[in-house]
Every structure is written in C-alpha cells, then in structure tokens.
Amino acid sequence: MTDAAARIPINGDGTARARAGRFPAGEAVDAGPPVEARGLHRTYRGVAGPELHILRGVDLALDWGEAVAIVGASGSGKSTLLHLLGALDRPSAGSVHIGGTDVATLGDTEAAKLRNNRIGFVFQFHHLLRDFTALENVMVPALIRGDDPEAARSRAADLLGQVGLGGRLGHRPRQLSGGEQQRVAVARALVNEPYVLLADEPTGDLDTATSRDVQDLLFEMKERHGVALAVVTHNRELASKAERVLRLREGILDNV
C-alpha cells in the first residue's frame, strides 16, 4: 500500500482488502485500493471572470467490492470528481492512482487505454450506439482493447444474461426500454473486468420502479464482480444502499 493509501480511510476501520487474484498474471500493481485520490484540486478560469475552484483538496480511496455514494447540491463538483477518478480529466493539483498507476505519468493514449481497461462508466444517459445491437454495444470496449472477437462476443452475451437481457442480444437501443438500455450500459461497463465502476446519476432518467430495478442491478453486479462502485446521485434511496455516503460541499468531501 502506498503512504497515501495508509493515510486515507477506506473502510470504516481504516483497513483495505486488496482483492487477491484480481490482477492479470504478470501485471505489476499496488496492493492497496483500486482507485485512490489524494489532495485533488480542480480549478477553471473563465475568459473574463474569476477563477472557479471546484475541488479543494479531496482525498478518497475506494476498496475492492465497496460501494461509495457521493451526494451534494447541483454544481458542487460531483461529476467533476467522478471524471477525475475515471481519468476523463486531469486535476489542477493532487494525484489519482488506478491500480497503483499514477494517471499523471501517462500520456493521452496511455490514459485512454487505462480508462478502457480498468474503469467502467455508467452515465445518466446510456450513450449506446444506436445502430449497434445490444450485444455489439457491450462488445465494443473489448474490441477496442484488441480482444479476440469470439471471446468478446461470448463474454458480452454472458454479461447480458447476467443483467436479464439474455433474450435481447440482437435488439437495437430503439427496441429497448429506458431501463433495458441502462442494463446494456451496465453490462458494457463490466465487459473488460474493470477495477472500479463509476456511475453518474445512473437512475436519473428513469421512473421510480425502473430506477429501483437498476439500483438493485448495480449492487448485485458490484457484488458478483467484486468491483468498487462510486455513484454520484441525488437519489437518497440509492445513496442509502452504499457502505459509505460522502457529501461534496464547497469543494470539500466529508462523511455524511
């Protein structure tokens, strides 16, 4: 475990559970948390306005199999934090480690590869490719990684079965309900066996009943695949299912 990981509370008792056998043979990784952020700052400077300080020294470590909910007012920087944890953005200061790799040491191409291989994303809007079938949508990250097409197809079909869509492999997004499309997005997020699943308002565009179904699915898949889960949400019911609930306010992340 890195010195930073030793200082950042992970579980309630401050312990970490490195998931034995999680990493591919021969891959050198840190023994600590799958995702670790230390001292994150993110500022934006407008063309003529003052500098906006969105995050102010955020520390966060996610443990294997742990679910963390991040709540806060609209505009508080929750999505900004998630984008930094997922290497979609770079911090103004501080560090993000994914599987022990410091994202700051990577070029854009290397960061994109790490993101595709080790981070699964689920957004409020599913962002499925409309002309691709459910099966093809789930296969895409594996094909980008260079996996054998038949192996990718088999794994995608298995995941779609796990999310309850085993009979809908050949359907395109327009032939699926909103909840079904989000299930496809969850399967796609897991196809490369990521270390962490990052979900940004994953039920925000769904009705109440469908929202609960997708909530249950996220936590079921988190348990089944042993990934860390960080979810940004305004949904109190969804947040209450996480082991930890953190509030982002005025750029500071605190326990609720």
Side-chain angles (χ1 to χ4, degrees):
M1 186 184 301
T2 64
D3 290 341
R7 292 193 299 268
I8 302 173
I10 300 168
N11 296 324
D13 58 359
T15 62
R17 301 187 306 274
R19 184 168 167 81
R22 178 66 179 164
F23 303 107
E27 182 175 333
V29 295
D30 191 278
V35 175
E36 173 193 338
R38 184 70 180 176
L40 288 187
H41 290 258
R42 190 65 176 98
T43 59
Y44 298 94
R45 187 179 299 278
V47 175
E51 184 175 78
L52 298 176
H53 208 152
I54 306 300
L55 300 178
R56 301 173 182 270
V58 168
D59 293 342
L60 177 62
L62 304 176
D63 196 10
W64 296 108
E66 179 190 27
V68 173
I70 301 169
V71 301
S74 296
S76 61
K78 302 185 300 298
S79 294
T80 296
L81 174 57
L82 215 64
H83 290 172
L84 293 175
L85 295 177
L88 287 169
D89 190 15
R90 305 266 182 160
S92 304
S95 64
V96 174
H97 288 74
I98 299 173
T101 297
D102 185 350
V103 175
T105 67
L106 304 178
D108 290 344
T109 299
E110 292 173 307
K113 180 178 178 181
L114 181 72
R115 191 165 55 240
N116 183 59
N117 293 346
R118 299 305 175 216
I119 305 291
F121 295 95
V122 180
F123 297 101
Q124 179 174 349
F125 303 104
H126 46 77
H127 299 301
L128 299 181
L129 299 171
R130 65 182 183 180
D131 293 326
F132 282 36
T133 66
L135 182 66
E136 291 165 342
N137 267 282
V138 177
M139 289 173 64
V140 165
L143 295 177
I144 290 173
R145 186 169 65 178
D147 289 6
D148 173 76
E150 287 307 311
R153 180 180 299 275
S154 176
R155 191 160 64 253
D158 178 62
L159 280 165
L160 284 167
Q162 290 180 34
V163 302
L165 294 177
R168 312 280 274 173
L169 306 187
H171 288 67
R172 289 177 169 77
R174 63 180 177 274
Q175 298 171 302
L176 301 172
S177 69
E180 288 172 334
Q181 291 177 56
Q182 198 65 309
R183 286 173 178 269
V184 175
V186 171
R188 179 183 59 189
L190 291 165
V191 73
N192 280 349
E193 299 181 318
Y195 297 168
V196 63
L197 192 61
L198 302 179
D200 193 352
E201 295 288 1
T203 63
D205 198 43
L206 303 174
D207 62 64
T208 301
T210 305
S211 171
R212 286 175 177 157
D213 287 343
V214 171
Q215 290 173 36
D216 291 342
L217 175 68
L218 279 171
F219 283 87
E220 175 189 340
M221 299 301 279
K222 184 267 292 184
E223 291 292 332
R224 178 179 293 203
H225 293 270
V227 298
L229 170 64
V231 57
V232 161
T233 184
H234 286 100
N235 188 313
R236 293 183 179 181
E237 182 179 16
L238 173 54
S240 70
K241 296 180 179 181
E243 286 91 355
R244 283 192 290 157
V245 181
L246 307 175
R247 176 175 286 113
L248 189 60
R249 180 166 46 197
E250 297 181 356
I252 305 297
L253 191 66
D254 289 314
N255 293 314
V256 170

